[in-house]
Amino acid sequence: PDADGRTNRQEFEAQSHPRGTFTRYFAEGATGAFFNAQVALVNPGAQTVTALLRFLTPAGLAPTHAVTLLPNQRQTVNPERLTGLADAAFATVIEADGPIVADRLMTW
């Protein structure tokens, strides 16, 4: 439990991280013919970290993508390759069960 007052079942139903101790928000992401978005995640620590990315769309959809980061590992997530985000506007919520570095790059 992450001491946020929610049970693991409530976290699951809300599609949030049940052990989330790290949270970051990125507004106004977009993919499509004109836009490209990438989310870079780095685990600078000595323990494996699991991150959950939620992409919140204007239509109310919230596709999720889980990433496991080994110690000192970097991964890049391309939202355009995820179901429902090939041509979409979205905000991104990142929750992880340990400290990570997160960056979002938008190009057009």
Side-chain angles (χ1 to χ4, degrees), residues 8-86:
N8 283 346
R9 180 173 182 82
Q10 290 169 321
E11 296 273 8
F12 174 79
E13 290 170 351
Q15 296 182 346
S16 61
H17 199 299
R19 295 185 321 255
T21 58
F22 169 94
T23 304
R24 290 296 178 268
Y25 304 92
F26 294 113
E28 302 177 354
T31 58
F34 187 70
F35 294 106
N36 184 35
Q38 294 182 351
V39 178
L41 304 172
V42 178
N43 175 5
Q47 303 295 320
T48 298
V49 174
T50 301
L52 179 69
L53 289 77
R54 282 186 293 139
F55 300 93
L56 312 173
T57 69
L61 301 176
T64 61
H65 183 71
V67 176
T68 299
L69 296 161
L70 299 175
N72 299 308
Q73 183 184 27
R74 178 188 187 277
Q75 286 192 39
T76 301
V77 176
N78 184 343
E80 192 166 27
R81 294 183 181 156
L82 302 176
T83 301
L85 296 174

